[in-house]
């Protein structure tokens, strides 16, 4: 008798933050601040990175996941992994972010 085994991806989500202490995304500026705090100031202008901000239905941050790190001129994202992470975290909304290569962070913030 043959059994069908299906491989399972494993992404753990363990919240050590109480509901009252969760950051709420109210606008693009608050999303920018949360995402910027997750980037290394030493590499943000050197190495491209793509992240996803996971939100619940109240726009409270469930977590941030780095999906891809590249070189100095680009990075690639597997969309299947993006959606797998969002689904496994039961996110109601996502915000995707990418640091542009050699960007002036002040001009990026002003564009938002």
């Amino acid at each position: 008798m043959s059994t069908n085994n299906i491989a399972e991806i494993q992404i753990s989500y363990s919240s050590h933050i109480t509901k009252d202490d969760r950051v709420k995304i109210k606008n693009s500026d608050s999303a920018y601040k949360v995402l910027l705090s997750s980037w290394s100031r030493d590499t943000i202008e050197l190495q491209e990175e793509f992240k996803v901000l996971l939100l619940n239905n109240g726009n409270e941050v469930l977590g941030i996941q780095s999906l891809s790190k590249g070189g100095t001129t680009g990075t690639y994202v597997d969309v299947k992994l993006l959606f797998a992470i969002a689904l496994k975290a039961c996110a109601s909304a996502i915000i995707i972010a990418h640091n542009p290569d050699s960007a002036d962070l002040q001009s990026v913030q002003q564009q938002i």
Side-chain angles (χ1 to χ4, degrees), residues 3-92:
T3 37
N4 294 328
N5 293 322
I6 299 173
E8 174 76 19
I9 63 169
Q10 183 175 354
I11 297 169
S12 68
Y13 175 75
S14 175
S15 180
H16 59 278
I17 300 170
T18 65
K19 181 160 177 53
D20 293 335
D21 292 332
R22 286 188 184 151
V23 175
K24 184 168 183 149
I25 301 300
K26 298 177 183 176
N27 51 39
S28 61
D29 189 53
S30 61
Y32 169 80
K33 288 176 182 172
V34 168
L35 284 160
L36 186 60
S37 71
S38 75
W39 250 283
S40 166
R41 292 288 189 158
D42 295 333
T43 61
I44 192 168
E45 293 186 49
L46 173 68
Q47 182 179 27
E48 293 207 25
E49 191 170 358
F50 186 98
K51 296 184 180 203
V52 60
L53 182 63
L54 304 159
L55 306 173
N56 66 14
N57 61 355
N59 284 341
E60 296 168 333
V61 176
L62 296 172
I64 300 171
Q65 178 68 39
S66 176
L67 288 171
S68 170
K69 279 190 176 185
T72 58
T73 59
T75 190
Y76 296 97
V77 176
D78 186 334
V79 176
K80 294 177 290 207
L81 291 177
L82 169 65
F83 288 111
I85 289 167
L87 290 169
K88 290 290 277 187
C90 289
S92 296

